[in-house]
Amino acid sequence: MDYFDADVAYLVGLIVARGQLIEQGEERRILVEFPGSTLQVEGTHSAFDQPTEIKLGLVDIAWRLRNLLETDIDIISSTHGNHTLLVRFHRNNMIWRNLRLILGSATHFGTFTLPNVLFDRDTPLEWKHEFLRGFADVAGNIRRANRYVDGRNRVRLDVLNYKDNWRLPVQLCELLQDHLSIPVQLIAWGHPNMGRDFREHQLNIFAVPFRKIGFTFRHKQIVLEELAQEDEKNFPNAQYMPCPGERALRRTKESDEREADTLHLPPKLCGKHFDAYWQICRQLGCRKRPAVQDISYEEDVEQEVIPE
């Protein structure tokens, strides 16, 4: 707790989403990549110069981190629309040591898990919000194409698919639902049984409840508000229920030889077959267990992801 506050939580959210800690000789660096795909938004009525909004947002984030880290931060843009924040430390100072303490032995977003401090009941909720906002600024996208089959809009938090980070979506879901009362509709796993090969994992969260987190980027926040207000108008009686941890199975899925892919799947999943997303969640540590009468849930999970 002595090494953690709202600003540190935000930085750690950026790093866990798409960050790396690199040590080369006496130089230490933090790299955080902002994928262009998560910075492009699509609303209904709002219009703005997206490249300018992205640059302004990155400058704001760099300014916040510069005050925290007391070192220079470079913004590097690529021709593919991606942007990288580069932080350099020229000595093994206390800030660097604190980050290593918080993040443990992992140094790459493909192996990070959530710091234990985020699950401590004594940790201020503001810090947990800031961690998730940092994560969403990098890996969250808000656009019309994310909408559910009934038309309600959703935010998606992407977790790139690495063998050693499959637990991360379940941890994010627990933090959102159990600590901040923000319901997660479902996790679209990048698993062959889910029809998504080994693509990224996606946490789907309706726009209305996600306003409690929001975005630092002004254009992303504008579209979030626009789509959330649209949903409040069009679905005034909508109830945003958290994933209950289990839903009725309506059909079984065919086996796939990639269920035993040791290059992509962690030991807890390798060689196992799954018919629903929540079965993967349970295998990876989800502790939610609904009452028997709640298992027949209103939504057909087989139809919840709209093809893009």
Side-chain angles (χ1 to χ4, degrees), residues 4-244:
F4 214 78
D5 62 14
D7 290 326
V8 174
Y10 179 79
L11 170 60
V12 172
L14 298 177
I15 294 172
V16 171
R18 294 288 191 280
Q20 299 180 60
L21 303 181
I22 300 172
E23 294 190 52
Q24 293 178 328
E26 292 300 313
E27 185 178 70
R28 292 157 179 84
R29 292 178 290 163
I30 301 172
L31 292 176
V32 177
E33 182 175 352
F34 290 75
S37 59
T38 67
L39 296 175
Q40 297 293 325
V41 299
E42 176 196 346
T44 305
H45 306 295
S46 299
F48 29 70
D49 184 343
Q50 296 211 48
T52 298
E53 293 289 344
I54 291 168
K55 290 178 181 178
L56 291 174
L58 290 168
V59 168
D60 286 343
I61 292 170
W63 180 85
R64 179 179 184 179
L65 298 184
R66 192 175 293 115
N67 287 337
L68 170 68
L69 302 175
E70 297 182 342
T71 189
D72 291 335
I73 300 175
D74 295 326
I75 302 173
I76 304 169
S77 300
S78 75
T79 56
H80 301 292
N82 299 331
H83 304 270
T84 301
L85 292 185
L86 170 60
V87 184
R88 290 188 178 91
F89 301 93
H90 298 291
R91 59 185 62 86
N92 189 19
N93 59 18
M94 186 62 71
I95 295 171
W96 181 265
R97 295 182 190 186
N98 289 346
L99 284 173
R100 295 305 308 271
L101 177 66
I102 292 166
L103 293 167
S105 60
T107 58
H108 184 277
F109 61 86
T111 58
F112 287 132
T113 56
L114 266 61
N116 291 332
V117 65
L118 292 172
F119 297 107
D120 192 321
R121 293 294 175 180
D122 293 329
T123 298
L125 295 183
E126 178 195 2
W127 301 2
K128 300 178 184 187
H129 277 104
E130 285 301 311
F131 169 85
L132 287 164
R133 178 173 290 188
F135 192 97
D137 277 346
V138 175
N141 61 78
I142 175 71
R143 55 178 70 102
R144 291 283 294 167
N146 294 353
R147 65 192 181 279
Y148 178 49
V149 291
D150 67 0
R152 284 180 291 170
N153 293 288
R154 299 184 295 186
V155 173
R156 283 181 176 157
L157 301 182
D158 292 342
V159 177
L160 295 189
N161 196 329
Y162 287 81
K163 182 178 179 178
D164 295 322
N165 72 345
W166 280 72
R167 186 165 166 247
L168 183 58
V170 175
Q171 290 183 311
L172 290 167
C173 182
E174 179 182 347
L175 186 63
L176 284 159
Q177 296 201 144
D178 297 348
H179 291 253
L180 299 175
S181 299
I182 297 173
V184 174
Q185 185 196 15
L186 78 153
I187 300 176
W189 290 102
H191 188 286
N193 289 153
M194 302 298 109
R196 303 189 69 251
D197 195 16
F198 291 112
R199 293 171 59 193
E200 75 283 354
H201 314 301
Q202 298 173 334
L203 279 81
N204 288 269
I205 307 154
F206 285 112
V208 170
F210 193 80
R211 283 191 297 188
K212 292 173 65 175
I213 301 298
F215 299 102
T216 299
F217 288 95
R218 190 182 78 101
H219 66 305
K220 292 175 76 170
Q221 184 64 24
I222 288 173
V223 171
L224 172 63
E225 290 289 347
E226 177 183 283
L227 297 184
Q229 290 172 12
E230 176 184 292
D231 287 353
E232 288 177 329
K233 177 181 178 181
N234 295 336
F235 305 92
N237 300 317
Q239 295 185 7
Y240 296 97
M241 305 296 294
C243 173

